[in-house]
């Protein structure tokens, strides 16, 4: 006898290991609505709302269900494209003004980039939206849409935005610590954070880990074998995103928001500490 795959009752082409806690029908991530215990399907949520209007649909991670579940991803892609067009229009100076680097001249003690002072730390964020080459931004934006859009639907807008930005900051911080003198730019660190978060949630929802692990392994292979790629940014983003996702995916129901935002705050503090250490090494 052969085992038959269990598929979502609303999307028969999608296998799943999760069931609605009320009707016990199988549901996929798109149909999961967070409940006080486990997840419910949209029909059960609507029935509950009919009898108790105070019930609000929530994402898997506890965020609010938005009418456009991919809005933040679209805005992030738009911002990256806008900065890319500015680089094409105004040239290299835009990259020098927004890119991540820090350097002090040995004999004059003149510092530039992040090493010039806290007012230059904006580069930790601006560099995440900066691209110079068409192939670079095309690859990153495709990856952002393919990986980011589903994650935004799982997390909700606020949690997803926090994950993206903190992953980018994590990548920037590790670059500043290990390779500060080279101009570094691109959304790859933030996107690697999304890769890590995807792996965490796939594991949490008991899906097949092999596709996401293969994708992650391929990207890590390219990271360490292709030239002119900042492996520090990729690894920093991957670690930050994975840690945040663990806090969001496995937070206990009764204090979920506290654990989730506490994890984000902890990663942010670590990022600031690593940044401070990196700047101290440059200026010391």
């Amino acid at each position: 006898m052969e085992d038959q795959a269990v598929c979502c009752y609303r999307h028969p082409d999608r296998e799943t290991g999760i069931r609605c806690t009320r009707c016990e029908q199988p549901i996929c991530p798109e149909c999961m609505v967070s409940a006080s215990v486990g997840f419910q399907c949209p029909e059960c949520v609507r029935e509950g709302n009919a009898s108790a209007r105070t019930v609000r649909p929530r994402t898997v991670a506890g965020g609010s269900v938005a009418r456009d579940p991919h809005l933040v991803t679209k805005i992030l892609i738009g911002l990256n494209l806008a900065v890319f067009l500015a680089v094409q229009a105004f040239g290299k100076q835009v990259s020098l003004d927004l890119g991540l680097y820090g350097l002090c001249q040995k004999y004059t003690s003149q510092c530039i980039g992040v090493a010039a002072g806290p007012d230059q730390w904006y580069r930790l964020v601006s560099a995440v939206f900066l691209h110079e080459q068409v192939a670079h931004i095309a690859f990153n934006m495709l990856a952002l849409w393919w990986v980011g859009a589903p994650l935004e639907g799982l997390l909700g807008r606020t949690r997803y935005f926090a994950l993206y930005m903190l992953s980018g900051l994590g990548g920037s911080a590790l670059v500043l610590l290990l390779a500060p003198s080279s101009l570094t730019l691109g959304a790859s660190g933030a996107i690697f954070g999304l890769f890590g978060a995807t792996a965490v949630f796939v594991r949490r929802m008991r899906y097949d880990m092999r596709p996401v692990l293969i994708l992650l392994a391929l990207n890590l292979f390219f990271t360490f074998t292709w030239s002119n790629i900042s492996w520090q940014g990729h690894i920093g983003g991957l670690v930050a995103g994975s840690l945040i996702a663990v806090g969001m995916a496995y937070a206990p129901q009764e204090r979920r928001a506290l654990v989730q935002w506490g994890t984000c705050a902890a990663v942010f503090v670590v990022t600031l500490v690593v940044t401070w250490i990196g700047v101290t090494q440059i200026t010391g």
Side-chain angles (χ1 to χ4, degrees):
M1 297 182 64
E2 296 182 354
D3 293 333
Q4 293 186 346
V6 178
C7 299
C8 175
Y9 80 97
R10 300 177 78 240
H11 301 94
D13 59 327
R14 303 178 187 177
E15 295 185 16
T16 182
I18 304 297
R19 292 179 178 272
C20 173
T21 55
R22 293 187 64 183
C23 66
E24 296 187 351
Q25 295 191 87
I27 49 178
C28 67
E30 184 176 333
C31 300
M32 294 178 189
V33 179
S34 181
S36 57
V37 178
F39 306 105
Q40 294 182 8
C41 64
E43 283 74 12
C44 287
V45 170
R46 281 194 290 269
E47 291 177 6
N49 286 340
S51 59
R53 294 295 179 182
T54 58
V55 176
R56 295 182 59 190
R58 293 284 177 177
T59 66
V60 170
S64 299
V65 176
R67 181 170 298 179
D68 182 355
H70 307 143
L71 178 63
V72 174
T73 302
K74 295 173 184 177
I75 292 174
L76 291 172
I77 292 174
L79 289 173
N80 279 278
L81 291 175
V83 177
F84 174 74
L85 292 176
V87 172
Q88 303 309 304
F90 300 105
K92 188 68 175 183
Q93 189 58 46
V94 177
S95 296
L96 295 177
D97 290 339
L98 300 180
L100 178 63
Y101 61 92
L103 184 65
C104 288
Q105 295 182 1
K106 184 175 180 180
Y107 299 105
T108 63
S109 297
Q110 181 181 0
C111 297
I112 58 175
V114 178
D119 62 328
Q120 293 290 311
W121 285 25
Y122 70 86
R123 296 174 182 274
L124 293 158
V125 176
S126 62
V128 177
F129 295 91
L130 179 63
H131 300 80
E132 291 182 336
Q133 300 176 346
V134 173
H136 190 197
I137 191 170
F139 181 83
N140 277 350
M141 294 306 99
L142 285 173
L144 176 55
W145 178 251
W146 287 336
V147 180
L151 262 181
E152 183 180 352
L154 284 176
L155 300 178
R157 291 174 178 173
T158 305
R159 288 166 174 78
Y160 171 72
F161 182 71
L163 169 68
Y164 184 88
M165 294 305 300
L166 289 172
S167 296
L169 282 172
S172 295
L174 196 60
V175 167
L176 193 60
L177 180 66
L178 301 178
S181 60
S182 300
L183 176 65
T184 303
L185 48 88
S188 302
I191 293 170
F192 261 76
L194 301 185
F195 280 137
T198 298
V200 170
F201 274 94
V202 167
R203 177 67 181 85
R204 174 67 176 85
M205 294 183 293
R206 300 178 183 178
Y207 276 38
D208 185 358
M209 290 285 294
R210 286 172 293 182
V212 68
L213 290 179
I214 292 172
L215 179 62
L216 183 56
L218 285 173
N219 278 274
L220 287 173
F221 174 78
F222 295 142
T223 294
F224 289 101
T225 57
W226 286 11
S227 60
N228 299 321
I229 291 183
S230 172
W231 66 264
Q232 298 89 347
H234 290 190
I235 297 302
L238 177 64
V239 172
S242 299
L243 290 175
I244 292 168
V246 168
M248 290 186 175
Y250 291 94
Q253 186 76 29
E254 60 274 10
R255 52 182 184 277
R256 179 166 57 187
L258 177 62
V259 172
Q260 289 176 339
W261 294 114
T263 303
C264 289
V267 171
F268 179 64
V269 170
V270 171
T271 299
L272 292 181
V273 171
V274 173
T275 299
W276 178 80
I277 295 173
V279 171
T280 302
Q281 289 182 165
I282 300 170
T283 57

